[in-house]
Short mmCIF file of all heavy atoms in Angstrom, two decimals:
data_model
loop_
_atom_site.label_atom_id
_atom_site.label_comp_id
_atom_site.label_asym_id
_atom_site.label_seq_id
_atom_site.Cartn_x
_atom_site.Cartn_y
_atom_site.Cartn_z
N SER A 729 -74.88 28.08 -69.54
CA SER A 729 -75.61 27.79 -68.30
C SER A 729 -76.39 29.00 -67.83
O SER A 729 -77.55 28.89 -67.41
CB SER A 729 -74.63 27.34 -67.22
OG SER A 729 -73.93 26.17 -67.59
N HIS A 730 -75.76 30.16 -67.91
CA HIS A 730 -76.44 31.40 -67.51
C HIS A 730 -77.68 31.64 -68.38
O HIS A 730 -78.74 32.04 -67.87
CB HIS A 730 -75.47 32.57 -67.64
CG HIS A 730 -76.13 33.91 -67.55
ND1 HIS A 730 -76.71 34.38 -66.40
CD2 HIS A 730 -76.32 34.87 -68.50
CE1 HIS A 730 -77.23 35.58 -66.62
NE2 HIS A 730 -77.00 35.90 -67.87
N ALA A 731 -77.56 31.40 -69.67
CA ALA A 731 -78.69 31.63 -70.57
C ALA A 731 -79.84 30.68 -70.25
O ALA A 731 -81.01 31.09 -70.23
CB ALA A 731 -78.24 31.45 -72.02
N VAL A 732 -79.52 29.41 -70.00
CA VAL A 732 -80.57 28.42 -69.71
C VAL A 732 -81.29 28.75 -68.41
O VAL A 732 -82.53 28.81 -68.36
CB VAL A 732 -79.96 27.00 -69.66
CG1 VAL A 732 -80.97 26.00 -69.11
CG2 VAL A 732 -79.48 26.58 -71.04
N LEU A 733 -80.53 28.94 -67.34
CA LEU A 733 -81.15 29.18 -66.04
C LEU A 733 -81.73 30.59 -65.95
O LEU A 733 -82.81 30.78 -65.38
CB LEU A 733 -80.12 28.95 -64.93
CG LEU A 733 -80.67 29.00 -63.50
CD1 LEU A 733 -81.79 27.98 -63.30
CD2 LEU A 733 -79.55 28.76 -62.49
N GLY A 734 -81.03 31.57 -66.49
CA GLY A 734 -81.50 32.95 -66.40
C GLY A 734 -82.85 33.15 -67.07
O GLY A 734 -83.71 33.86 -66.55
N THR A 735 -83.06 32.51 -68.22
CA THR A 735 -84.35 32.63 -68.91
C THR A 735 -85.47 32.07 -68.04
O THR A 735 -86.56 32.66 -67.93
CB THR A 735 -84.30 31.89 -70.25
OG1 THR A 735 -83.28 32.46 -71.07
CG2 THR A 735 -85.63 31.98 -70.96
N SER A 736 -85.23 30.94 -67.41
CA SER A 736 -86.26 30.30 -66.60
C SER A 736 -86.58 31.10 -65.35
O SER A 736 -87.74 31.25 -64.98
CB SER A 736 -85.83 28.87 -66.23
OG SER A 736 -86.87 28.20 -65.57
N VAL A 737 -85.55 31.62 -64.67
CA VAL A 737 -85.83 32.34 -63.43
C VAL A 737 -86.51 33.68 -63.70
O VAL A 737 -87.27 34.17 -62.85
CB VAL A 737 -84.56 32.53 -62.58
CG1 VAL A 737 -84.00 31.20 -62.13
CG2 VAL A 737 -83.50 33.35 -63.31
N ARG A 738 -86.27 34.27 -64.87
CA ARG A 738 -86.99 35.50 -65.20
C ARG A 738 -88.49 35.24 -65.29
O ARG A 738 -89.31 36.02 -64.81
CB ARG A 738 -86.47 36.10 -66.50
CG ARG A 738 -85.20 36.91 -66.35
CD ARG A 738 -84.92 37.75 -67.58
NE ARG A 738 -84.67 36.94 -68.77
CZ ARG A 738 -83.49 36.46 -69.11
NH1 ARG A 738 -82.44 36.71 -68.35
NH2 ARG A 738 -83.35 35.74 -70.20
N VAL A 739 -88.86 34.13 -65.91
CA VAL A 739 -90.28 33.77 -65.98
C VAL A 739 -90.81 33.44 -64.58
O VAL A 739 -91.94 33.80 -64.24
CB VAL A 739 -90.48 32.58 -66.93
CG1 VAL A 739 -91.95 32.16 -66.97
CG2 VAL A 739 -90.00 32.92 -68.33
N SER A 740 -90.00 32.78 -63.76
CA SER A 740 -90.42 32.48 -62.39
C SER A 740 -90.72 33.75 -61.62
O SER A 740 -91.71 33.82 -60.87
CB SER A 740 -89.33 31.67 -61.67
OG SER A 740 -89.20 30.38 -62.21
N ARG A 741 -89.89 34.77 -61.79
CA ARG A 741 -90.14 36.02 -61.07
C ARG A 741 -91.40 36.70 -61.59
O ARG A 741 -92.13 37.33 -60.81
CB ARG A 741 -88.94 36.96 -61.20
CG ARG A 741 -87.69 36.45 -60.49
CD ARG A 741 -86.68 37.57 -60.29
NE ARG A 741 -86.30 38.20 -61.55
CZ ARG A 741 -85.30 37.81 -62.32
NH1 ARG A 741 -84.55 36.77 -61.96
NH2 ARG A 741 -85.00 38.44 -63.43
N ARG A 742 -91.69 36.57 -62.88
CA ARG A 742 -92.93 37.14 -63.40
C ARG A 742 -94.15 36.45 -62.81
O ARG A 742 -95.18 37.08 -62.57
CB ARG A 742 -92.97 37.04 -64.93
CG ARG A 742 -92.05 37.99 -65.64
CD ARG A 742 -92.55 38.31 -67.05
NE ARG A 742 -92.70 37.11 -67.86
CZ ARG A 742 -91.73 36.59 -68.60
NH1 ARG A 742 -90.52 37.15 -68.61
NH2 ARG A 742 -91.95 35.51 -69.32
N CYS A 743 -94.03 35.15 -62.55
CA CYS A 743 -95.14 34.41 -61.92
C CYS A 743 -95.44 34.95 -60.53
O CYS A 743 -96.57 34.84 -60.05
CB CYS A 743 -94.80 32.92 -61.82
SG CYS A 743 -94.85 32.03 -63.39
N LEU A 744 -94.43 35.51 -59.86
CA LEU A 744 -94.60 35.99 -58.50
C LEU A 744 -95.01 37.44 -58.45
O LEU A 744 -95.33 37.96 -57.38
CB LEU A 744 -93.28 35.82 -57.73
CG LEU A 744 -92.76 34.39 -57.63
CD1 LEU A 744 -91.37 34.38 -57.02
CD2 LEU A 744 -93.70 33.52 -56.83
N ALA A 745 -95.01 38.12 -59.61
CA ALA A 745 -95.34 39.54 -59.63
C ALA A 745 -96.81 39.73 -59.31
O ALA A 745 -97.66 38.95 -59.75
CB ALA A 745 -95.01 40.14 -60.99
N PRO A 746 -97.17 40.77 -58.54
CA PRO A 746 -98.58 41.02 -58.24
C PRO A 746 -99.33 41.41 -59.49
O PRO A 746 -98.78 42.02 -60.40
CB PRO A 746 -98.54 42.17 -57.23
CG PRO A 746 -97.24 42.85 -57.49
CD PRO A 746 -96.28 41.79 -57.93
N ALA A 747 -100.59 41.04 -59.54
CA ALA A 747 -101.45 41.39 -60.68
C ALA A 747 -102.72 42.04 -60.16
O ALA A 747 -103.26 41.64 -59.14
CB ALA A 747 -101.79 40.14 -61.50
N ASP A 748 -103.19 43.04 -60.90
CA ASP A 748 -104.44 43.69 -60.55
C ASP A 748 -105.59 42.87 -61.10
O ASP A 748 -105.66 42.61 -62.31
CB ASP A 748 -104.51 45.10 -61.14
CG ASP A 748 -103.47 46.02 -60.50
OD1 ASP A 748 -103.16 45.79 -59.32
OD2 ASP A 748 -102.99 46.93 -61.19
N VAL A 749 -106.47 42.44 -60.23
CA VAL A 749 -107.61 41.63 -60.63
C VAL A 749 -108.87 42.36 -60.22
O VAL A 749 -109.05 42.67 -59.05
CB VAL A 749 -107.58 40.24 -59.97
CG1 VAL A 749 -108.74 39.41 -60.45
CG2 VAL A 749 -106.27 39.55 -60.26
N ARG A 750 -109.72 42.63 -61.18
CA ARG A 750 -110.96 43.32 -60.86
C ARG A 750 -111.93 42.35 -60.19
O ARG A 750 -111.92 41.15 -60.44
CB ARG A 750 -111.61 43.87 -62.14
CG ARG A 750 -110.78 44.93 -62.83
CD ARG A 750 -111.43 45.36 -64.11
NE ARG A 750 -111.52 44.22 -65.04
CZ ARG A 750 -112.19 44.27 -66.18
NH1 ARG A 750 -112.83 45.37 -66.51
NH2 ARG A 750 -112.23 43.22 -66.97
N THR A 751 -112.82 42.90 -59.36
CA THR A 751 -113.82 42.07 -58.71
C THR A 751 -114.79 41.56 -59.76
O THR A 751 -115.36 42.32 -60.53
CB THR A 751 -114.58 42.87 -57.65
OG1 THR A 751 -113.63 43.35 -56.71
CG2 THR A 751 -115.60 42.01 -56.94
N GLY A 752 -114.98 40.26 -59.77
CA GLY A 752 -115.83 39.65 -60.77
C GLY A 752 -117.24 39.41 -60.25
O GLY A 752 -117.72 40.07 -59.34
N GLN A 753 -117.89 38.41 -60.82
CA GLN A 753 -119.25 38.11 -60.46
C GLN A 753 -119.31 37.43 -59.10
O GLN A 753 -118.35 36.83 -58.64
CB GLN A 753 -119.87 37.18 -61.53
CG GLN A 753 -119.96 37.83 -62.91
CD GLN A 753 -118.65 37.83 -63.65
OE1 GLN A 753 -117.66 37.29 -63.17
NE2 GLN A 753 -118.64 38.44 -64.81
#
């Protein structure tokens, strides 16, 4: 259970991580 849920929540936290986005056109 830990492996199943832990893998998914790690990806969820990456989705929430800030990202540097350069100014585009």
Side-chain angles (χ1 to χ4, degrees):
S729 299
H730 168 67
V732 169
L733 187 57
T735 299
S736 186
V737 296
R738 279 194 296 273
V739 178
S740 292
R741 293 197 303 271
R742 287 206 302 271
C743 287
L744 301 172
D748 293 330
V749 182
R750 296 177 298 172
T751 301
Q753 296 79 3

